[in-house]
Amino acid sequence: MDSSHTRRDATRRKLFEAAVTLIAEQGFSSTTVDEIAERAGVAKGTVYYNFASKNVLFEELLRHGIELLASSLQTAADEVTDRGGTRVDGLDAMIRAGLDFIARYPALTQLYVAELWRTNRAWQSTLMVVRERAITVVENVLREAVAGGELSEEIDIPLTASALFGMVLVAALDWQSYQPDRSIDDVHAALSRLLQGRVTGRPA
């Protein structure tokens, strides 16, 4: 990649980081392009050079962030199964990867969750697309687990995928907001027990 592309990618990353932090702090409507440019350390014109509007910047921010998350989930599952692990082990690895991602990008996660339930945004369709991108990764592993006899054929794959995805998002945000003294290992262990069905006290 030539130096001009490298510089533009670096600028876009700075704009993404500035925008997501500001919007998570004060909301989309209250965040101005001037503030985004100032936080990113660039001229206002640079924002419009890279993105046609604040709405476009936000949509690209969502796409970029969820693509990073989906890729990390897929990689985590693939690495486990490539080593001979089960698909359920792969799901467990995805939980850990999701927690790692949220710990690394807390502002993006807060923003995504806050916007997910709004229905009056111009980017609502984009939000649904990026949500589907992440959940499809989980669905695919669930389907492979069912096909391999690791999970019951009776499970509702789309709903189970959404439940797992939502569990990680909500648990991670609760951890960071209300139980920050806990380690990521503690949080992962608790969610892993839920996945593995080891919360009833019955032997595995």
Side-chain angles (χ1 to χ4, degrees):
M1 182 178 294
D2 63 37
S3 59
S4 63
H5 283 133
T6 301
R7 286 196 301 272
R8 185 177 185 191
D9 285 345
T11 298
R12 288 170 72 91
R13 280 196 300 273
K14 288 195 294 185
L15 289 171
F16 280 139
E17 291 168 4
V20 71
T21 302
L22 284 166
I23 294 170
E25 288 174 355
Q26 58 194 36
F28 178 81
S29 298
S30 298
T31 299
T32 66
V33 172
D34 285 340
E35 289 173 318
I36 293 170
E38 181 179 0
R39 180 70 66 95
V42 302
K44 181 178 179 179
T46 302
V47 180
Y48 289 116
Y49 175 77
N50 285 273
F51 306 99
S53 66
K54 189 172 72 168
N55 277 352
V56 171
L57 169 58
F58 186 74
E59 289 190 50
E60 289 300 314
L61 175 67
L62 289 172
R63 291 182 186 276
H64 176 72
I66 297 302
E67 185 59 40
L68 287 176
L69 173 59
S71 295
S72 67
L73 296 179
Q74 188 67 65
T75 297
D78 289 345
E79 287 177 349
V80 168
T81 54
D82 286 348
R83 294 196 303 266
T86 67
R87 297 298 179 186
V88 173
D89 291 335
L91 289 168
D92 187 59
M94 293 172 91
I95 288 175
R96 178 55 186 248
L99 292 172
D100 286 338
F101 181 89
I102 293 166
R104 184 176 180 184
Y105 302 106
L108 176 63
T109 307
Q110 292 166 8
L111 180 58
Y112 172 79
V113 172
E115 292 296 326
L116 190 60
W117 308 111
R118 299 182 188 272
T119 59
N120 61 341
R121 300 296 203 194
W123 55 79
Q124 187 66 24
S125 60
T126 297
L127 197 60
M128 293 300 100
V129 169
V130 297
R131 172 191 173 276
E132 188 66 22
R133 169 73 179 97
I135 290 180
T136 295
V137 175
V138 184
E139 288 181 353
N140 289 341
V141 177
L142 285 170
R143 286 194 178 88
E144 291 168 357
V146 171
E150 296 178 41
L151 295 175
S152 169
E153 294 182 356
E154 296 179 356
I155 70 167
D156 185 318
I157 289 175
L159 188 57
T160 301
S162 295
L164 288 172
F165 185 68
M167 175 182 75
V168 173
L169 285 179
V170 174
L173 291 177
D174 184 86
W175 157 47
Q176 294 190 336
S177 298
Y178 303 111
Q179 306 179 63
D181 55 315
R182 288 184 177 271
S183 70
I184 193 170
D185 291 332
D186 286 341
V187 180
H188 177 222
L191 299 186
S192 181
R193 291 187 189 99
L194 287 172
L195 173 69
Q196 303 284 351
R198 291 183 282 119
V199 294
T200 63
R202 299 172 183 170

